[in-house]
Amino acid sequence: MTEMATDLRNFWLNEGYILVRGLFSPERTEQLGSICEEILQQWYCKNPETGEPGGNPDAVSMRHLNHPGYFAHAPESLNFFMDAVADDAVIETCRTILDEPPLFRCTTLFMNPTKNSQDGNWHRDSQFLYPDESEEKNLFAGAHSNGGGIQMQIALVPSDDSEIVPGSHRRWDTAAEYKIRKAAKGANNRSNDMPGALRLALQPGDAFAFNAFGLHRGRYHADKKRRTLMLTYTRTSTPSYDYFSHQPWFAEANYMANFQPKTRSFFEPFVSAYREEWQKMGASYTA
């Protein structure tokens, strides 16, 4: 591991996030932005996973942008999009952080609502995995690991709507943090008074990756355009099957047929890891 890679991983381990300026070039970011906008407008009208409209005016995220239903009339856009998901700079950054090859998991787009603004709720993803608070707390009893995955948010437009509490992935909440995140059944979890909160200012093409077990949130304002592409990866050694990884279209004969060989080879372990689960679930999807 190079000295630069070692510094990057150590910062990730200690602070729970990294910021990479200009991960994608302006030209690539602009084209990704156009593709994501087209996907989003289709989703509002019809989510190909359900056949129904994808969201209401207050929707702030959508998943599985790589569903083939969004690319029926633009297969070349799917190839461009998936090349970005499997980009060398992205994958090597994830490999450095995770200390092993990353496994694809999911694509997400965060957008601003068109009606009601809201500051997001402070949370740790661990609270959804472990609803029993004592079990969740046990995760932080010792020195917390660098986790089993990485969420990499890439700004498609200027954004300062992501916040994190550096280092919080390594410990349980302080009293002040707990009061905001969980006390009174989460009544205060949208507070703007989180101690030590760091708001990241991103320009198009910048990437902000974080450990989702740390305290974090997003902000979603109707009068402020937000378009943030999030690419999620896990360690290859710890795949996790759920809605995020349920993407049976990958097993269809033609889905990856026109991918570049390098891109296709990156996604092949994902297909191998989950094909059996897709088959158990019927491996069908709405086009």
Side-chain angles (χ1 to χ4, degrees):
M1 186 179 293
T2 67
E3 182 177 351
M4 183 178 297
T6 299
D7 290 344
L8 185 72
R9 186 162 187 271
N10 286 340
F11 192 88
W12 169 267
L13 289 171
N14 292 325
E15 302 298 325
Y17 78 97
I18 59 168
L19 179 60
V20 182
R21 299 291 186 187
L23 181 70
F24 286 162
S25 69
E27 296 76 18
R28 188 178 212 178
T29 304
E30 182 178 4
Q31 188 166 346
L32 276 175
S34 296
I35 292 171
C36 289
E37 195 65 34
E38 174 63 25
I39 292 169
L40 177 60
Q41 297 311 315
Q42 291 185 64
W43 179 79
Y44 280 133
C45 296
K46 177 185 175 181
N47 178 350
E49 294 181 75
T50 64
E52 301 293 332
N56 58 44
D58 289 330
V60 297
S61 68
M62 62 164 293
R63 312 287 183 183
H64 298 164
L65 284 78
N66 53 296
H67 191 291
Y70 294 120
F71 299 94
H73 303 295
E76 69 285 352
S77 292
L78 174 62
N79 298 338
F80 184 91
F81 185 85
M82 297 305 270
D83 283 347
V85 179
D87 180 76
D88 285 345
V90 172
I91 301 311
E92 286 307 310
T93 298
C94 292
R95 184 193 301 269
T96 297
I97 288 171
L98 298 175
D99 201 28
E100 67 174 77
L103 184 72
F104 174 67
R105 179 163 172 76
C106 186
T107 57
T108 302
L109 184 70
F110 291 103
M111 77 289 282
N112 57 295
T114 58
K115 188 177 180 180
N116 296 310
S117 298
Q118 62 177 334
D119 289 331
N121 60 299
W122 285 101
H123 65 282
R124 303 176 185 265
D125 284 16
S126 55
Q127 69 195 57
F128 309 121
L129 297 173
Y130 301 93
D132 184 313
E133 185 174 299
S134 62
E135 292 184 7
E136 183 194 7
K137 192 171 184 178
N138 283 340
L139 291 173
F140 302 90
H144 193 50
S145 73
N146 65 339
I150 179 171
Q151 297 184 2
M152 179 176 288
Q153 297 193 5
I154 301 170
L156 303 177
V157 300
S159 173
D160 63 352
D161 290 323
S162 295
E163 292 183 275
I164 191 170
V165 177
S168 58
H169 66 298
R170 297 189 292 117
R171 55 167 176 76
W172 185 242
D173 302 35
T174 65
E177 291 168 349
Y178 187 89
K179 183 178 180 180
I180 291 174
R181 180 172 76 104
K182 300 201 76 175
K185 297 182 179 179
N188 304 309
N189 63 19
R190 298 187 190 277
S191 170
N192 292 319
D193 297 324
M194 177 65 76
L198 175 66
R199 184 182 301 167
L200 280 301
L202 306 178
Q203 293 301 312
D206 291 347
F208 160 56
F210 63 98
N211 185 324
F213 282 4
L215 288 160
H216 65 281
R217 73 166 177 174
R219 300 188 309 158
Y220 309 95
H221 295 174
D223 60 349
K224 183 179 180 182
K225 184 175 182 179
R226 182 176 184 185
R227 297 290 187 271
T228 306
L229 174 63
M230 186 168 79
L231 309 178
T232 306
Y233 308 85
T234 64
R235 288 174 169 170
T236 298
S237 62
T238 56
S240 177
Y241 182 76
D242 53 19
Y243 166 69
F244 298 97
S245 59
H246 185 71
Q247 301 178 56
W249 51 86
F250 269 94
E252 297 293 314
N254 295 326
Y255 182 70
M256 298 197 296
N258 295 317
F259 288 6
Q260 292 190 65
K262 185 169 65 173
T263 298
R264 187 166 56 250
S265 66
F266 171 72
F267 289 106
E268 286 171 348
F270 175 73
V271 178
S272 296
Y274 294 109
R275 185 192 299 271
E276 184 175 340
E277 295 295 336
W278 296 337
Q279 291 172 343
K280 288 178 183 178
M281 295 293 292
S284 60
Y285 62 93
T286 302

